[in-house]
Amino acid sequence: MAMLLASCATNGQLMRAQQKFRQGDFNGASATIASAAAKHQATDKDAVIVKLEAGSMALTAGRSEVANALLRSADEAIEAANRRPLIQVGKEAGAMLSNLNALPYVPTPSDQIMGASYLALSFAEEGKITEARSAVKLAKNRQQDAFSKYRAEIDREREALQKAREASKVPFSLDEGKLAGVTDTIESDLRNYTPYTSHTVPYAELIAGLLLGAGPEAETGRARESLGRALAASPGNADLRSAANGAIKGRVHVLFEEGVGPSVEQMPVHLPLYINKNLVMFSAAYPKMVFHSHSAGANVKADGVVRVPQPICDFDRIAADEFRRRLPGIISRTTAASALKAALSYTAQEAIKSQNSDMAFLAGIAGAVYNIASAQADLRNWATLPKRVSYTQLAVPAGGSIEIGGENVNLPKGETVIVRVREVAGRRVIRTFAL
């Protein structure tokens, strides 16, 4: 029960911060998650997701130094998570008896890649280009092997699940056919999003290309490779093609992060369970992705010329693909966890019934209440990544300023300027730095 309460407390704080961010309250979101981020050590089960959210929220709120510290801490937590064995029978069995939120959060490929990419942006805002380039190289290295490792982890989840069920020593059987409707409902929205063929994160490639290709001692070859991969995902983007062909230095690059990516909600379901051929109904709660709408971004104007940022990265597609890959394991684990608790409750009730029917009745009520209360879906995800990212570029204007959606933006002095725009729920913040 203590495990259940601790998980609920952290998740509640995380979801409140995410909700404030979706409402455009960036400072409120950052303040809400700050205490949770401060108390989590790198090896704590929720450290990755809490610190990623806290870091990206602080970056949006304009606190790049705070964001940098949080994102470096998130990176340490990701490294710790990657060293952690996936199969931990004791923790699996314990989580099945309490709540799947008690298991360590497993960072997705996009978590790992964008965590390093945002870390690079926070370094760049502080004027630390060498550290920024080290961070984008980390993102690039992770992009190369994160997806293959992720697939291996998904395959090993089934082994972990089986070992945990064996450790429980409680026999029960499920009607797997009844799960088809659950799976279909969860997948219905996911089918609208096709994955990127190369399983890249195009925005991370754009960030890498710009930070490697601009500023002193630019790494032109690596920059063009990254921008080429970003262009492969959006071949019709003329501004991105210009960057891939070398138009990086002496330009203003506008990165427009629009809306928020998907969140995860709980879908409660009642399902049949067979124990010694006796039918028992039990409650399970499955995670289901929710995709959020967002209006089109603003135009960019400089020296009388209007530029329209064009999409280069759709995080809905990336999140849907990652969730779809994990779905079989999610369905199996969630079902088995809820079924195990129902089976234990039934077994205890039958044992008591042989001695006292009144006590058996009370035990049945207590078991049902516990089954429903502990049937909590794992809703943890990095929900404040943008829904999509658009991009445009233009020559550094003679007047030293541009307009974004009618708002005048003074540019810092420098050969190359990066403008990062974050817009959520009608609230827009603009950050600039020179390379």
Side-chain angles (χ1 to χ4, degrees):
M1 183 60 71
M3 194 188 310
L4 175 62
L5 293 174
S7 296
C8 289
T10 298
N11 280 8
Q13 198 169 1
L14 178 65
M15 294 179 71
R16 285 193 298 275
Q18 291 170 337
Q19 181 60 26
K20 287 185 178 182
F21 192 94
R22 283 193 289 270
Q23 295 168 346
D25 182 3
F26 304 138
N27 288 322
S30 184
T32 299
I33 198 68
S35 61
K39 70 182 182 182
H40 276 78
Q41 302 299 313
T43 54
D44 290 350
K45 69 179 186 64
D46 292 320
V48 171
I49 186 60
V50 169
K51 290 179 183 293
L52 283 175
E53 285 286 25
S56 62
M57 288 175 183
L59 190 62
T60 299
R63 296 193 291 273
S64 58
E65 186 174 351
V66 173
N68 183 268
L70 287 165
L71 291 167
R72 281 188 283 114
S73 183
D75 189 72
E76 293 173 4
I78 287 171
E79 292 296 331
N82 287 338
R83 292 191 298 270
R84 183 186 298 129
L86 182 70
I87 301 173
Q88 302 175 80
V89 176
K91 288 187 177 180
E92 290 277 353
M96 283 188 167
L97 292 175
S98 58
N99 189 295
L100 292 179
N101 291 284
L103 290 172
Y105 177 81
V106 178
T108 67
S110 60
D111 288 345
Q112 300 186 50
I113 294 163
M114 284 307 302
S117 297
Y118 275 159
L119 176 60
L121 286 177
S122 70
F123 274 126
E125 281 198 24
E126 294 291 306
K128 301 175 180 178
I129 187 62
T130 301
E131 292 86 345
R133 287 175 178 161
S134 294
V136 297
K137 289 173 184 176
L138 173 62
K140 287 167 66 65
N141 291 337
R142 284 181 176 164
Q143 187 143 293
Q144 292 173 3
D145 62 8
F147 285 95
S148 60
K149 288 182 178 178
Y150 197 55
R151 285 193 293 270
E153 286 174 355
I154 292 168
D155 291 338
R156 294 199 320 245
E157 273 193 349
R158 296 179 182 178
E159 182 182 350
L161 175 63
Q162 183 60 37
K163 286 180 178 292
R165 288 181 64 172
E166 291 171 358
S168 71
K169 301 184 185 303
V170 178
F172 59 84
S173 61
L174 296 164
D175 185 346
E176 299 293 342
K178 297 293 184 181
L179 296 177
V182 173
T183 302
D184 186 68
T185 300
I186 295 174
E187 285 186 333
S188 59
D189 290 335
L190 302 179
R191 298 189 189 104
N192 297 323
Y193 301 93
T194 56
Y196 288 107
T197 54
S198 58
H199 298 296
T200 60
V201 180
Y203 187 32
E205 295 287 8
L206 174 60
I207 292 170
L210 297 179
L211 295 182
L212 291 170
E217 300 180 10
E219 300 181 38
T220 306
R222 287 189 171 186
R224 289 191 175 185
E225 288 177 5
S226 290
L227 292 168
R229 283 190 286 270
L231 181 62
S234 302
N237 191 307
D239 287 333
L240 189 54
R241 183 173 297 277
S242 295
N245 288 334
I248 301 175
K249 291 187 175 184
R251 310 287 290 177
V252 178
H253 301 272
V254 183
L255 315 177
F256 211 115
E257 300 184 10
E258 308 165 41
V260 291
S263 54
V264 183
E265 69 176 15
Q266 184 163 285
M267 186 179 78
V269 179
H270 298 290
L271 292 169
L273 172 71
Y274 295 94
I275 306 173
N276 297 327
K277 298 182 179 180
N278 294 312
L279 174 63
V280 177
M281 298 301 293
F282 70 98
S283 298
Y286 297 91
K288 185 177 185 294
M289 276 204 152
V290 179
F291 297 90
H292 304 281
S293 61
H294 182 72
S295 57
N299 294 339
V300 179
K301 184 178 179 181
D303 294 336
V305 178
V306 176
R307 310 287 295 185
V308 181
Q310 296 297 316
I312 59 101
C313 186
D314 185 338
F315 277 95
D316 285 353
R317 292 174 62 181
I318 294 168
D321 179 42
E322 291 176 341
F323 191 76
R324 187 187 296 110
R325 289 171 179 273
R326 290 192 60 212
L327 189 56
I330 290 172
I331 294 290
S332 296
R333 175 180 270 132
T334 302
T335 305
S338 295
L340 173 60
K341 285 175 281 192
L344 287 170
S345 175
Y346 175 84
T347 302
Q349 184 181 356
E350 289 297 299
I352 294 172
K353 185 187 296 184
S354 64
Q355 300 178 15
N356 187 313
S357 59
D358 291 335
M359 288 297 294
F361 175 73
L362 293 174
I365 294 176
V369 169
Y370 177 70
N371 178 239
I372 294 172
S374 61
Q376 301 293 319
D378 186 352
L379 308 182
R380 295 170 295 180
N381 80 311
W382 193 356
T384 58
L385 285 170
K387 181 180 182 68
R388 64 173 175 262
V389 178
S390 297
Y391 167 73
T392 190
Q393 62 154 286
L394 58 152
V396 176
S401 66
I402 60 175
E403 285 186 14
I404 297 178
E407 179 181 352
N408 187 70
V409 179
N410 292 318
L411 302 176
K413 293 182 179 180
E415 180 183 35
T416 305
V417 177
I418 306 296
V419 179
R420 178 173 174 259
V421 185
R422 191 71 177 96
E423 185 171 277
V424 179
R427 172 82 188 283
R428 180 186 301 150
V429 295
I430 301 172
R431 305 288 297 172
T432 62
F433 59 90
L435 297 172

